Amino acid sequence: VAWATALEDGVPLAGVTIEANAGRQVAVTGQDGTARFELPNQETTLLVARQGADTAVLLRSTHLWGH
Protein backbone atom coordinates (compact mmCIF):
# COMPACT_ATOMS: atom_id res chain seq x y z
CA VAL A 1 0.00 0.00 0.00
CA ALA A 2 1.26 3.47 -0.90
CA TRP A 3 -0.33 6.39 0.92
CA ALA A 4 -0.01 10.00 -0.26
CA THR A 5 -0.87 12.97 1.94
CA ALA A 6 -0.33 16.71 1.70
CA LEU A 7 2.72 17.92 3.63
CA GLU A 8 0.87 21.07 4.63
CA ASP A 9 -2.07 19.50 6.47
CA GLY A 10 -1.96 15.69 6.12
CA VAL A 11 -5.06 15.52 3.92
CA PRO A 12 -5.10 12.41 1.63
CA LEU A 13 -4.14 13.21 -1.97
CA ALA A 14 -6.08 11.68 -4.85
CA GLY A 15 -4.58 11.36 -8.32
CA VAL A 16 -0.94 10.89 -7.27
CA THR A 17 0.94 8.57 -9.62
CA ILE A 18 3.09 6.05 -7.74
CA GLU A 19 5.79 4.26 -9.75
CA ALA A 20 7.93 1.27 -8.82
CA ASN A 21 10.65 -0.49 -10.79
CA ALA A 22 11.46 2.51 -12.99
CA GLY A 23 7.85 2.87 -14.10
CA ARG A 24 7.20 -0.80 -14.88
CA GLN A 25 4.56 -0.79 -12.13
CA VAL A 26 2.27 2.22 -11.85
CA ALA A 27 -0.71 2.93 -9.62
CA VAL A 28 -2.75 6.07 -8.97
CA THR A 29 -4.08 7.05 -5.54
CA GLY A 30 -7.82 7.14 -4.97
CA GLN A 31 -9.85 9.63 -2.94
CA ASP A 32 -8.48 8.11 0.28
CA GLY A 33 -4.90 8.79 -0.85
CA THR A 34 -4.00 5.11 -1.17
CA ALA A 35 -2.84 2.96 -4.05
CA ARG A 36 -2.25 -0.79 -3.92
CA PHE A 37 0.08 -2.94 -5.97
CA GLU A 38 2.43 -5.88 -5.48
CA LEU A 39 6.16 -5.26 -5.11
CA PRO A 40 8.59 -7.93 -6.27
CA ASN A 41 10.85 -9.32 -3.55
CA GLN A 42 14.13 -7.39 -3.78
CA GLU A 43 13.79 -5.76 -7.21
CA THR A 44 12.18 -2.54 -6.04
CA THR A 45 14.69 -0.12 -4.52
CA LEU A 46 12.49 2.98 -4.53
CA LEU A 47 9.05 4.42 -5.14
CA VAL A 48 8.47 7.67 -7.00
CA ALA A 49 5.30 9.70 -6.44
CA ARG A 50 4.28 12.47 -8.84
CA GLN A 51 1.46 14.98 -8.94
CA GLY A 52 1.69 18.06 -11.13
CA ALA A 53 5.14 19.64 -10.68
CA ASP A 54 5.75 17.80 -7.37
CA THR A 55 7.87 14.65 -7.09
CA ALA A 56 8.76 12.60 -4.00
CA VAL A 57 11.12 9.62 -3.73
CA LEU A 58 10.93 6.93 -1.05
CA LEU A 59 13.83 4.52 -0.74
CA ARG A 60 13.16 0.92 0.23
CA SER A 61 16.05 1.07 2.71
CA THR A 62 18.47 3.68 4.01
CA HIS A 63 21.23 1.07 3.64
CA LEU A 64 21.60 2.18 0.01
CA TRP A 65 23.51 5.23 1.29
CA GLY A 66 26.15 3.35 3.24
CA HIS A 67 26.78 0.80 5.96
Side-chain angles (χ1 to χ4, degrees):
V1 174
W3 184 17
T5 59
L7 291 175
E8 186 174 87
D9 54 15
V11 171
L13 294 174
V16 176
T17 301
I18 310 289
E19 299 177 11
N21 296 321
R24 289 184 300 219
Q25 289 177 280
V26 178
V28 179
T29 59
Q31 294 295 5
D32 63 355
T34 64
R36 294 177 183 266
F37 53 94
E38 294 290 323
L39 292 178
N41 292 337
Q42 296 298 323
E43 269 184 48
T44 303
T45 56
L46 57 86
L47 297 177
V48 178
R50 292 189 174 92
Q51 185 177 50
D54 295 327
T55 301
V57 177
L58 176 65
L59 296 174
R60 179 180 188 117
S61 170
T62 57
H63 295 288
L64 293 173
W65 299 110
H67 302 286

